[in-house]
Amino acid sequence: MSGNADPRPAGEGTTSRTRLDRGRGALGPALELVHTGRAPTRAVLTAELGVTRATAGAVAAELEALGLIRVDARPGAAAGSQGRPSHRLAVAEDGPVVLAAQVHADGFRAALVGLGGRIAATAPARETVDADPAKIIGSVVEAGADLLRTTGLRCVGAGLAVPSAVAEPDGTALNPLHLAWPVGAPVRRIFDECVRAAGISGPAFAGNDVNLAALAEHRHGAGRGARDLLCVATGHRGVGGALVLDGRLHTGSSGLALEVGHLTVNPEGRPCHCGSRGCLDVEADPLALLTAAGREPGPVVSLLQQAIDLIRDHYDDPTVRTAAETLIDRLGLGLAGLVNILNPDRIILGGLHRTLLAADPDRLRAVVADRSLWGQSGGVPILACTLDHNSLVGAAELAWQPVLDDPIRALRPV
């Protein structure tokens, strides 16, 4: 036998290639199953894809060859189990990453995020936000480029989270109320230009921070397994909401759906930036808590962290407790209205709302139940978001989506 001969039996290489060709359309769905943790073994992958074991094996091998997953052929059977154990599947920890960036009212952060929602590296958070979107977006991209140079990791795309509705299809920020940016700032175009200027490869995307937090939580956190997931969160300023239906973000006809911050929950309440009064945006955010508790916001720590620390460290103070209960009641009123309209099967809360839920979960759930038709009969679960930096992870999900849709095409050298 010559050194170039194929040692496999005649036809075996052709058969393997035929299986892969047959399963090529399954590469994206298979990668998403591993990415979201829903296919920890090849046996589960086979069942989820509805293909033969041989085809699932060929698909897993191709994803491994692309450097996206790892296949453990010798996992060892669990104690008491019978039969041959299935190969274990996991995302490749040394695989490619995407650049994830977030801008909020009190600063910005950049990170490199791999498959599985794993944060591979982060740059120190910055606490200065320029009124010129091009300057701040350029700074956060440069921070990400520094991470890529330091780590040497391959980047296949970039995603940006901003505290504003992002209109489709033009990618403009329509209401960056807490950033002092001009209305209609072309954030996606600016981000794409900064990414290209930094020499970062792959497509660039931008989206609303709470939308992206909901997407991340649905795939990797407290929202896993939900069909109709409602996420409401207050970050550094204001209140946002998002809805995931059948695994996909519901963003409306032009990307502007679920502006829950502008639900009126106190008709005689505080003036809102939108021109109305008593909106959830100004009645249930960190500044509202600090004001109600009679605390003057400090300049060093973010408003979000100040509000969280106040509840965690001083909840026994009657003034703080009363202020927190007021916010819980306002939040519960807004959630009840959303439950009546949307009928979600799960609600998750982020930012300060997660801390309010932990402080008095019974009160919040009671308000929602008392004010909502479905709350009385269905008892919609209300849970805390579980991911750290979920908006960053969600921004990464935007950039990973082309790879999940078609791994070979997305990773093909330009």
Side-chain angles (χ1 to χ4, degrees):
M1 181 185 296
S2 70
N4 294 327
D6 190 335
R8 293 174 295 184
E12 182 176 323
T14 301
T15 300
S16 177
R17 176 54 54 185
T18 299
R19 288 170 182 157
L20 177 59
D21 290 342
R22 190 181 303 126
R24 190 172 298 280
L27 283 175
L31 181 59
E32 183 167 340
L33 287 166
V34 178
H35 170 62
T36 56
R38 290 179 289 152
T41 68
R42 200 168 71 182
V44 176
L45 183 69
T46 301
E48 289 288 335
L49 292 177
V51 298
T52 66
R53 186 168 61 181
T55 297
V59 168
E62 179 70 4
L63 291 175
E64 185 173 39
L66 290 170
L68 297 171
I69 73 169
R70 292 288 175 263
V71 180
D72 183 355
R74 299 185 303 275
S81 65
Q82 298 183 0
R84 187 175 62 183
S86 179
H87 295 182
R88 292 204 158 272
L89 308 177
V91 298
E93 293 191 358
D94 59 347
V97 296
V98 297
L99 166 62
Q102 181 181 10
V103 177
H104 52 74
D106 293 316
F108 65 87
R109 181 184 289 273
L112 304 181
V113 182
L115 284 166
R118 180 182 61 87
I119 297 179
T122 58
R126 308 288 179 86
E127 297 181 352
T128 301
V129 179
D130 197 280
D132 180 354
K135 288 184 178 179
I136 190 69
I137 292 174
S139 295
V140 72
V141 169
E142 186 53 41
D146 287 342
L147 286 176
L148 288 169
R149 285 189 286 267
T150 300
T151 62
L153 294 171
R154 179 189 177 190
C155 184
V156 296
L160 170 69
V162 294
S164 167
V166 178
E168 298 294 343
D170 50 354
T172 56
L174 289 191
N175 61 341
L177 301 174
H178 305 291
L179 294 178
W181 287 358
V183 172
V187 291
R188 183 183 300 150
R189 177 179 60 77
I190 293 171
F191 184 56
D192 181 75
E193 290 173 351
C194 291
V195 165
R196 301 291 154 253
I200 298 172
S201 60
F205 303 89
N208 170 260
D209 53 2
V210 180
N211 275 351
L212 300 182
L215 181 61
E217 293 284 346
H218 186 267
R219 290 183 175 180
H220 307 292
R224 286 178 62 176
R227 178 182 175 185
D228 299 328
L229 175 69
L230 172 64
C231 175
V232 176
T234 176
H236 295 259
R237 308 277 175 82
V239 175
L243 185 65
V244 179
L245 300 177
D246 288 327
R248 294 190 175 276
L249 277 173
H250 173 72
T251 56
S253 61
S254 57
L256 308 179
L258 268 290
E259 279 291 308
V260 306
H262 300 290
L263 289 174
T264 299
V265 293
N266 181 16
E268 305 302 322
R270 299 176 177 86
C272 183
H273 310 280
C274 71
S276 187
R277 181 178 290 275
C279 295
L280 201 59
D281 209 55
V282 292
E283 295 288 337
D285 79 336
L287 183 59
L289 176 72
L290 295 171
T291 302
R295 304 300 176 100
E296 188 70 27
V300 178
V301 180
S302 72
L303 289 179
L304 175 60
Q305 194 59 53
Q306 290 178 63
I308 290 173
D309 291 344
L310 184 63
I311 294 176
R312 288 179 176 171
D313 300 338
H314 303 285
Y315 198 66
D316 290 337
D317 183 324
T319 303
V320 174
R321 181 184 291 270
T322 298
E325 289 175 347
T326 298
L327 258 71
I328 289 171
D329 292 347
R330 302 283 190 241
L331 174 62
L333 182 61
L335 292 178
L338 292 167
V339 167
N340 288 335
I341 296 170
L342 303 172
N343 188 27
D345 58 22
R346 192 178 310 175
I347 299 171
I348 57 173
L349 302 178
L352 177 61
H353 295 165
R354 177 171 64 173
T355 306
L356 291 170
L357 176 65
D360 198 340
D362 292 338
R363 185 183 186 97
L364 179 60
R365 293 184 176 115
V367 173
V368 175
D370 289 344
R371 295 281 189 156
S372 63
L373 174 64
W374 305 119
Q376 292 277 15
S377 59
V380 182
I382 303 176
L383 307 174
C385 291
T386 57
L387 298 178
D388 292 329
H389 310 303
N390 51 17
S391 291
L392 271 177
V393 175
E397 292 297 316
L398 286 183
W400 275 118
Q401 194 59 52
V403 181
L404 297 175
D405 290 339
D406 190 339
I408 292 178
R409 180 178 181 181
L411 299 179
R412 182 185 300 142
V414 178

